[in-house]
């Protein structure tokens, strides 16, 4: 979620920091437990392998049609112990939720229960093929159906498309359902309205679904300006894409009025469900007039981020949009059998279950979606139950407001007066001394042992810092984080220039992103090949 | 509520600090009529670890795992042995629970791994640059088509699909093209020993942005890509090559060296496992480095830090949705990081030597299977060429045979009828995949089951 460094920062030689205990350089480049690790291309060889396989037998008849590979591929191999050591050493250069609080606003880094991992690895889930006969995968289809049931109930919606592979893919799915529904009624609307506080994916998604996008400004409280929105609605507007709770961390109070106005004008309401964890079990988006909303299973239902994916983005749909969801989908018939509806049975199921109105807009992915994430998410839902999920939202909101109120005297909090924040607290860089930026504060926070918060997002706040502690932090953990953040905020306000060279204690000092972009080096080049 | 650390005492102290009487006051902006006053009706309450595990295990037991049956399914997802250390490494919390590496100073583990992954994929595909992965092979295929549209600056509107492209991949492209208004030219699949290269070439014209072929193709056939590459380039179109079985590339020439401009594929075979269809791993590479700024997805690049040490960062993000919004190269804001890690670890364990041995073993066993199955009355083998997957033509409807054999505990393959509903001429087709996990006993079990079913 972090925007890039636009602060004009340039790399410079490190300045010895007062109070540091820099020792002599080491021959290996290692510093005790902080280890340097070469690339596999520098330590592996093409003759080494870490697996036992039969030697290729000479003289075996080949039916490769003369396409046998001749030249070397250039793939290095390592023995098993070398491989385990290489990746274990690399792992130690990562920050992770298992190491500490990860306050990324809107990205929701919460504890990842290991029961989820255990369940996902049960052979009946991990070792089944997507095209096995449906009689042999009834349990897997029941997982999809059961998860779908929870998602529909928690959101108060009518149907759910399970196949989207990530949040942004779900957004695309929702927008394609909207477009298909409009086309089915012969309505060629061209414009999608995106509030300023929308995720960057929203306008990109609308454009990919073939729409022109227009911004809707935020009011002084950080919410969608209802009057501006109403004035813009008309027969050319297909949909409004709104994020609720929004990226300023606020609940869109006028959500129902927005939905009513959009429906009145013949359009649909798309809600970005990235922040659903703030309201799960407390509010149902369906009650607020939402037509489509993706749910990032990794955010709300704790499937791990894995260093940037995979995610999973099922989309809940209103009654008007449900008939247009993509293939494949699951359906349980009266005999208790769960069917997987693909192209083969689409017509039959359309007749049987949807009075012939099922008009799937197509297919978004080869198979049925992120099954490995479905098992994890369902495990998490069953662990919490309906009561626990409401508590998740309450504790997430409580923790965020605690952070907001503990820092607003030191850090500019632009919407502190707009009401309680939801699951995340938003600050800006107003008041920083010297020419210090949000980036400098973030890098100083690294030296305190924390991953920085989301920076420079949302765009409506200068030098934005978006902090989401999540519900899985204890009060003691929050208090320590607040103490660390107060200390770096005080230094920033005082214009402590030493922050410009932070971090001092990370595996790497500031990295030259300009050089990386100007002369992209994206693949390992063998120096001997020149 | 074992995942929630706050105690009621904590909650009380925190509410006091915030200055509100109770937690409901924090939801004051939610209109009263939309607030729920208790747990949602119809959903169960929380359950213990033991109870949840028991429930999920019961569901898992209702599935027939691939390891528990003679197993021959492929068609875009393959069963291979994954070394135990792969799963051990991806379960390390520092990889499993890390976020996207936007703060490079404390994400070098993920970043170096992605750089190594990109380098491995580029070499495997015979390309200059690979990205840090996509959702899966089918979405990577669509993104490649969209990229070809960008390279043609929107001036070419026609996409030529090979009839031998995986039908689900073709359907993803057709679905998306409805909304981008690209014209799709594709032929019905041809049920013959060699793909219809001439027919494909005949459909390429001056309005074509790209030609999409699969290698080995959906029926398992392996053929030279050079004539299609030359024909596409002669008309100014790009050649996109889709590969759904990366292990094959340990045995056959890379698409890049045959002139492919964009190579995409499914990486699931290496390290990831079947998982009932996902999460999988989209691979995406371009042969010409000058096209790198048109690529979708994330890219990791090498640079140096303020002390001059080598380090890695996500780069060229000016193509991405969080900067360019509606002008971005794609709306994607994730990759399949953990699956890319699994791929990279498995590939590192294999190395070139292991990959070539693995590929040779797959091909050897597939030859054994093809020869044995050809002897079954009512079965003929369609392919002249194949890697580890080939097509049988049965004397009866293959859909029914597959269902009946499953009842007897043999997972026979993927019927073409399931992939191509309505194409009655293909209804006898059965795709059979063989990997290093297949034993000669498995092959015998399939042969005798088919003998019984077809007699």
């Amino acid at each position: 979620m972090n925007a890039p460094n636009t602060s004009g920062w340039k790399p410079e030689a490190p300045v010895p920091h007062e109070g540091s205990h820099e020792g002599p350089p080491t021959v290996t480049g290692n510093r005790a437990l902080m280890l340097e690790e070469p690339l596999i291309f520098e330590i592996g060889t093409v003759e080494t392998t870490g697996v036992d396989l039969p030697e290729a037998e000479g003289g075996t008849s080949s039916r490769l049609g003369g396409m046998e590979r001749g030249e070397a591929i250039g793939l290095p191999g390592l023995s098993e112990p070398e491989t385990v050591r290489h990746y274990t050493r690399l792992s130690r250069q990562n920050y992770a939720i298992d190491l500490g609080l990860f306050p990324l606003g809107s990205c929701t880094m919460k504890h990842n229960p290991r029961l989820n991992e255990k369940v996902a690895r049960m052979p009946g889930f991990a070792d089944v093929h997507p095209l096995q006969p449906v009689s042999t995968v009834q349990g897997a289809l029941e997982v999809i159906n059961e998860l779908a049931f929870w998602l529909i109930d928690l959101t108060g919606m009518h149907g759910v498309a399970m196949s989207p592979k990530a949040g942004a893919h779900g957004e695309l799915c929702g927008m394609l359902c909207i477009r298909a529904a409009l086309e089915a009624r012969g309505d060629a609307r061209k414009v999608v309205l995106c509030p300023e506080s929308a995720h960057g994916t929203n306008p990109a998604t609308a454009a990919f679904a073939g729409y022109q996008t227009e911004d809707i400004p935020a009011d002084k409280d950080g919410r969608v300006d209802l009057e501006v929105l109403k004035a813009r609605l008309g027969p050319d507007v297909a949909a409004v894409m709104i994020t609720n709770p929004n990226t300023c961390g606020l609940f869109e109070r006028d959500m129902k009025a927005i939905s009513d106005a959009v429906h009145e004008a013949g359009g649909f309401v798309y809600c970005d469900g990235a922040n659903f964890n703030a309201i799960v079990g407390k509010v149902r988006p369906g009650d607020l007039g939402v037509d489509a909303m993706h749910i990032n299973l990794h955010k709300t239902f704790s499937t791990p981020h894995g260093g940037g994916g995979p995610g999973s983005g099922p989309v809940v749909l209103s009654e008007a949009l449900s008939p247009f969801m993509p293939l494949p989908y699951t359906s349980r018939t009266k005999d208790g059998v769960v069917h997987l509806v693909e192209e083969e049975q689409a017509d039959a199921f359309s007749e049987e279950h949807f009075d012939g109105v099922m008009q799937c807009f197509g297919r978004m992915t080869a198979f049925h979606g992120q099954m490995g994430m479905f098992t994890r998410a369902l495990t998490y839902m069953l662990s919490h139950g309906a009561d626990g999920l409401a508590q998740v939202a309450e504790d997430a909101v409580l923790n965020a407001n605690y952070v907001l109120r503990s820092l607003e005297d030191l850090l500019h909090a632009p919407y502190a007066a707009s009401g309680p924040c939801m699951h995340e607290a938003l600050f800006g860089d107003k008041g920083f001394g010297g020419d210090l930026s949000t980036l400098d504060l973030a890098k100083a926070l690294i030296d305190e042992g924390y991953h920085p918060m989301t920076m420079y997002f949302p765009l409506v706040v200068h030098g934005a810092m978006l902090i989401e502690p999540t519900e899985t932090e204890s009060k003691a953990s929050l208090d320590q984080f607040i103490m660390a953040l107060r200390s770096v905020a005080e230094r920033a306000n005082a214009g402590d220039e030493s922050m410009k060279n932070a971090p001092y204690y990370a595996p790497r000092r500031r990295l030259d992103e300009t050089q990386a972009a100007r002369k992209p080096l994206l693949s390992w080049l063998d120096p001997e090949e020149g | 509520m074992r995942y929630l650390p706050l105690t009621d005492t904590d909650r009380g102290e925190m509410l006091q600090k915030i200055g509100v009487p109770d937690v409901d006051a924090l939801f004051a902006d939610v209109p009263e009529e939309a607030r729920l006053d208790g747990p949602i009706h119809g959903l169960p309450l929380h359950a213990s670890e033991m109870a949840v595990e028991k429930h999920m295990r019961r569901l898992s037991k209702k599935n027939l795992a691939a390891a528990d049956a003679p197993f021959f399914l492929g068609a875009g997802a393959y069963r291979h042995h994954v070394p135990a250390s792969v799963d051990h490494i991806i379960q390390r919390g520092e990889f499993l629970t890390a976020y996207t590496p936007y703060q490079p100073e404390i994400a070098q583990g993920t970043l170096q791994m992605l750089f190594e992954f990109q380098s491995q994929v580029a070499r495997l595909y015979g390309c200059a640059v690979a990205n840090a992965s996509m959702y899966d092979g089918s979405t990577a295929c669509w993104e490649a088509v969209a990229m070809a549209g960008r390279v043609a600056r929107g001036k070419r509107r026609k996409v030529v699909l090979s009839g031998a492209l995986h039908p689900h991949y073709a359907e993803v492209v057709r679905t998306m093209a409805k909304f981008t208004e690209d014209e799709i030219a594709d032929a019905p699949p041809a049920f013959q020993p060699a793909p219809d290269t001439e027919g494909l070439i005949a459909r390429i014209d001056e309005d074509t942005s790209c030609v999409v072929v699969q290698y080995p193709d959906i029926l398992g056939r392996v053929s030279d890509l050079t004539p299609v590459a030359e024909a596409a380039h002669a008309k100014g179109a790009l050649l996109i090559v889709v590969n759904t079985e990366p292990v094959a590339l340990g045995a056959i020439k890379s698409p890049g060296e045959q002139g492919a401009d964009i190579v995409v594929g499914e990486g699931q075979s290496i390290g990831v496992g079947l998982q009932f269809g996902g999460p999988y791993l989209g691979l995406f590479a371009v042969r010409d480095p000058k096209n790198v700024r048109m690529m979708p997805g994330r890219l990791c690049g090498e640079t140096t830090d303020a002390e001059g040490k080598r380090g890695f960062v996500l780069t060229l993000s000016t193509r991405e949705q969080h900067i360019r919004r509606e002008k971005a190269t794609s709306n994607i804001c994730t990759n399949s990081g953990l699956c890319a890690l699994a791929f990279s670890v498995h590939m590192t364990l294999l190395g070139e030597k292991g990959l070539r041995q693995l590929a040779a073993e797959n091909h050897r066993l597939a030859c054994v299977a093809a020869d044995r199955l050809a002897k079954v009355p009512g079965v003929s083998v369609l392919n002249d060429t194949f890697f580890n997957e080939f097509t049988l033509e049965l004397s009866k409807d293959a859909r029914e045979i597959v269902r009946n054999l499953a009842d007897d505990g043999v997972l026979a393959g993927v019927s073409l009828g399931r992939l191509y509903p309505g194409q009655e001429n293909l209804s006898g087709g059965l795709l059979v995949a063989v990997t290093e996990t297949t034993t000669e006993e498995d092959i015998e079990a399939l042969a005798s089951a088919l003998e019984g079913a077809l007699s």
Side-chain angles (χ1 to χ4, degrees):
Chain A
M1 246 18 275
N2 289 21
N5 165 24
T6 51
S7 65
W9 160 78
K10 298 269 191 313
E12 51 190 89
V15 179
H17 182 56
E18 205 179 324
S20 81
H21 303 283
E22 201 70 30
T26 55
V27 177
T28 53
N30 295 336
R31 294 182 203 170
L33 290 177
M34 199 184 289
L35 306 168
E36 292 297 316
E37 182 63 10
L39 293 164
I40 49 172
F41 294 88
E42 293 158 340
I43 50 177
T45 76
V46 292
E47 294 89 33
T48 309
T49 180
V51 295
D52 289 327
L53 282 160
E55 289 289 337
E57 291 171 34
T60 311
S61 75
S62 161
R63 289 173 225 182
L64 297 172
M67 299 304 293
E68 290 79 0
R69 190 155 200 160
E71 283 179 36
I73 311 170
L75 292 169
L78 294 173
S79 66
E80 182 173 312
E82 290 170 311
T83 302
V84 170
R85 193 170 283 169
H86 174 71
Y87 288 99
T88 303
R89 288 166 72 118
L90 285 188
S91 76
R92 294 167 48 122
Q93 316 221 349
N94 268 3
Y95 194 85
I97 189 70
D98 279 2
L99 290 167
L101 189 150
F102 217 128
L104 279 170
S106 215
C107 300
T108 312
M109 294 296 286
K110 59 171 70 171
H111 172 61
N112 297 135
R114 289 314 192 273
L115 177 63
N116 300 356
E117 297 302 311
K118 186 175 183 184
V119 166
R121 285 170 172 78
M122 290 176 178
F125 298 133
D127 192 28
V128 288
H129 191 284
L131 298 173
Q132 276 182 224
V134 290
S135 64
T136 67
V137 289
Q138 279 296 300
L141 296 176
E142 279 188 37
V143 167
I144 300 180
N145 241 30
E146 202 171 325
L147 180 63
F149 180 80
W150 277 85
L151 293 175
I152 288 169
D153 249 23
L154 288 169
T155 55
M157 301 290 277
H158 185 80
V160 56
M162 299 296 287
S163 68
K165 312 271 301 179
H169 205 220
E171 277 177 37
L172 191 55
C173 175
M175 291 311 292
L176 295 184
C177 287
I178 288 171
R179 186 159 162 173
L182 286 168
E183 282 175 1
R185 70 180 195 214
D187 199 344
R189 294 168 179 244
K190 283 279 170 233
V191 176
V192 168
L193 306 180
C194 298
E196 269 180 341
S197 62
H199 281 140
T201 48
N202 294 170
T205 298
F208 262 62
Y211 288 107
Q212 300 151 21
T213 68
E214 287 178 24
D215 280 353
I216 294 291
D219 65 14
K220 61 178 175 25
D221 284 346
R223 295 185 173 89
V224 175
D225 193 318
L226 179 62
E227 294 314 313
V228 175
L229 178 78
K230 274 186 175 167
R232 178 56 193 86
L233 290 171
D236 60 334
V237 174
V240 174
M241 293 185 89
I242 198 162
T243 303
N244 194 20
N246 72 21
T247 50
C248 299
L250 301 171
F251 193 84
E252 293 287 353
R253 283 180 199 144
D254 297 326
M255 190 67 208
K256 189 71 172 65
I258 292 169
S259 302
D260 289 346
V262 173
H263 292 152
E264 180 82 6
F268 289 99
V269 178
Y270 187 89
C271 182
D272 183 317
N275 300 333
F276 185 56
N277 61 314
I279 55 171
V280 60
K282 300 288 288 179
V283 184
R284 297 189 307 174
D287 296 340
L288 296 165
V290 168
D291 290 293
M293 181 176 96
H294 73 269
I295 298 170
N296 306 74
L297 293 184
H298 48 288
K299 296 183 184 182
T300 302
F301 302 110
S302 83
T303 71
H305 271 78
S312 180
V315 183
V316 287
L317 297 163
S318 62
E319 196 165 359
L321 293 183
S322 290
F324 301 95
M325 74 168 79
L327 294 170
Y329 60 92
T330 57
S331 173
R332 188 193 292 271
T333 43
K334 288 193 188 84
D335 54 7
V337 177
V338 184
H339 300 267
L340 179 68
V341 183
E342 300 177 277
E343 287 82 351
E344 194 186 1
Q345 316 89 336
D347 290 342
F349 268 81
S350 164
E351 290 298 323
E352 199 172 328
H353 294 288
F354 299 94
D355 305 323
V357 299
M358 198 73 192
Q359 301 168 60
C360 298
F361 72 74
R363 180 182 269 274
M364 293 197 73
T365 172
F367 302 119
H368 333 308
Q370 308 289 61
M371 186 64 197
M373 298 296 136
F374 298 164
T375 47
R376 289 172 173 91
L378 181 60
T379 300
Y380 179 84
M381 286 175 178
L382 292 167
S383 300
H384 274 293
D387 51 338
L389 289 174
Q391 190 72 53
V392 161
E394 288 182 6
D395 285 359
V397 170
L398 180 62
N399 279 355
N401 278 282
Y402 186 65
V403 169
L404 177 66
R405 298 305 167 200
S406 301
L407 286 158
E408 62 183 339
D409 60 320
L410 265 181
L411 283 174
H412 174 59
Y415 301 119
S418 303
C421 65
M422 296 306 285
H423 58 303
E424 55 198 1
L426 179 61
F427 300 98
D429 65 358
K430 207 163 133 185
F432 283 10
D435 58 350
L436 290 176
S437 66
T438 289
L439 185 83
D440 301 317
L441 179 142
K443 299 301 184 192
L445 195 57
I446 288 176
D447 281 334
E448 298 289 346
Y450 287 101
H451 193 284
M453 63 292 277
T454 295
M455 301 186 296
Y456 302 108
F457 181 82
L459 305 174
V460 288
V461 172
H462 193 268
M465 291 174 269
L466 191 56
I467 298 177
E468 177 171 6
T470 84
E471 72 281 3
T472 56
E473 295 306 323
S474 68
K475 180 169 178 293
S477 153
L478 291 179
D479 286 338
Q480 196 200 27
F481 173 66
I482 288 162
M483 183 185 74
L485 196 49
R486 286 190 69 87
S487 137
V488 289
E490 275 168 4
R491 287 168 61 200
N493 290 341
D496 178 353
E497 287 291 317
S498 75
M499 293 170 80
K500 295 203 82 66
N501 292 309
Y504 290 88
Y505 305 120
R508 284 291 177 275
R509 305 292 303 274
R510 284 197 199 186
L511 286 143
D512 188 346
E513 305 202 27
T514 311
Q515 177 196 328
R518 282 218 185 114
K519 291 187 212 154
L521 186 49
L522 307 169
S523 192
W524 189 74
L525 299 174
D526 190 340
E528 296 193 0
E529 288 168 11
Chain B
M1 313 280 182
R2 57 195 176 276
Y3 307 141
L4 301 177
L6 292 184
T7 65
D8 281 340
T9 313
D10 293 334
R11 291 185 181 109
E13 284 173 23
M14 292 165 75
L15 288 167
Q16 202 170 8
K17 162 94 188 172
I18 296 165
V20 293
D22 54 36
V23 76
D24 276 347
L26 299 177
F27 288 83
D29 285 329
V30 180
E32 189 123 17
E33 64 273 17
R35 268 185 258 167
L36 298 163
D37 52 7
I40 290 180
H41 186 69
L43 293 176
L45 302 183
H46 68 277
S48 70
E49 175 155 334
M50 198 164 75
V52 174
E53 188 179 333
K54 194 170 173 184
H55 174 78
M56 295 303 288
R57 190 176 302 282
R58 191 183 59 78
L59 289 178
S60 80
K61 295 268 191 205
K62 290 184 169 186
N63 303 314
L64 177 57
D68 294 333
F71 178 88
F72 296 90
L73 282 85
Y78 300 87
R79 176 160 193 265
H80 290 285
H81 172 72
V82 179
S85 48
V86 174
D87 195 44
H88 167 81
I89 288 163
I90 69 170
Q91 283 205 72
R92 280 191 69 89
E94 303 92 327
F95 284 127
L96 183 76
T97 75
Y99 190 65
T100 309
Y102 287 129
Q103 296 290 342
E105 296 86 357
I106 47 172
Q108 285 298 305
T110 293
L111 286 161
Q112 181 170 334
M113 175 278 287
L114 288 176
F115 184 81
E116 292 174 344
F117 167 81
Q118 289 175 180
S119 307
Q120 287 171 319
V121 173
R123 284 172 178 240
L124 188 69
Y125 277 179
C127 286
V129 181
N131 74 12
S133 79
M134 317 282 285
Y135 304 144
D136 70 358
S138 65
T139 55
C141 177
W142 156 251
E143 292 285 349
V145 170
M147 176 177 158
R150 288 194 293 278
V151 171
R153 306 199 179 280
K155 288 184 183 136
R156 291 166 175 255
R157 307 299 328 186
K158 187 169 153 188
V159 177
V160 174
L161 302 183
S162 155
L165 174 63
H166 193 300
H168 291 172
Y169 286 46
E171 190 55 32
V172 172
V173 173
R174 269 194 292 271
T175 296
M176 296 305 302
K178 270 193 286 191
F179 300 97
T180 56
E181 291 163 15
D182 281 306
E183 179 201 340
I184 301 290
D186 60 349
F191 199 52
Q192 54 196 35
D196 177 19
T197 305
E198 281 174 24
L200 183 72
I201 288 173
R203 284 183 279 129
I204 308 171
D205 62 20
E206 308 290 341
D207 191 37
T208 304
S209 65
C210 59
V211 183
V212 187
V213 299
Q214 187 173 323
Y215 172 81
D217 71 20
I218 183 66
L219 300 181
R221 302 169 301 193
V222 181
S223 56
D224 190 358
L225 303 171
T226 344
V228 191
E230 283 167 3
H233 296 157
K235 302 279 188 188
L238 300 186
L239 176 65
I240 296 170
V241 175
V242 175
N243 167 268
T244 64
E245 173 50 296
V247 173
L249 298 176
I252 56 178
K253 283 181 188 160
S254 73
E257 68 183 290
Q258 298 175 70
D261 300 286
I262 305 175
V263 187
V264 294
E266 178 52 68
Q268 169 273 332
S269 271
I270 297 180
V272 177
L274 289 171
Q275 304 194 82
F276 199 50
Y280 282 2
L281 173 65
L283 308 180
F284 195 115
V286 295
R287 186 168 49 97
D288 184 346
K290 84 172 189 303
N291 281 333
V292 70
R293 285 182 164 80
M294 300 278 188
M295 282 176 91
R298 289 197 180 122
L299 288 164
C300 171
E302 186 182 315
T303 186
T304 48
D305 80 349
E307 289 176 354
K309 284 184 177 171
R310 176 171 67 189
F312 302 91
V313 293
L314 292 181
T315 190
L316 301 182
S317 60
T318 46
R319 306 161 297 116
E320 291 191 56
Q321 35 74 28
H322 56 280
I323 318 245
R324 295 256 291 170
R325 292 168 73 91
E326 68 275 6
K327 293 192 183 71
T329 58
S330 80
N331 75 326
I332 292 175
C333 87
T334 190
N335 60 339
S336 285
L338 203 62
C339 298
L341 173 64
F343 179 99
S344 196
V345 176
H346 192 180
M347 191 62 101
T348 300
L349 283 163
L350 287 167
E352 178 143 355
K353 182 180 183 207
L355 181 68
R356 283 176 179 271
Q357 286 175 339
L358 179 64
E361 180 64 0
N362 271 251
H363 187 55
R364 183 187 74 80
L365 275 163
C367 290
V368 169
D371 289 344
R372 174 65 187 91
L373 295 169
K375 291 189 188 128
V376 175
V379 171
S380 53
V381 177
L382 176 80
N383 301 54
D384 290 338
T385 62
F386 58 85
F387 169 64
N388 67 353
E389 185 168 23
F390 50 83
T391 305
L392 303 180
E393 187 165 15
L394 308 182
S395 56
K396 289 185 180 169
D397 186 321
R399 273 171 292 197
E400 222 176 292
I401 302 282
V402 166
R403 284 195 285 260
N404 292 343
L405 263 53
D407 292 341
D408 296 333
V410 176
L411 294 171
V414 178
S415 65
L416 291 184
R418 180 161 181 186
L419 294 175
Y420 298 96
Q423 297 271 341
E424 283 312 310
N425 57 321
L426 300 177
S427 63
L430 179 65
L431 270 173
V432 171
V434 174
T435 71
E436 77 287 354
T437 64
T438 313
T439 63
E440 305 215 3
E441 290 74 34
D442 292 336
I443 295 168
E444 205 47 49
L446 175 61
S448 61
L450 280 175
E451 248 161 36
L454 294 172
S455 63

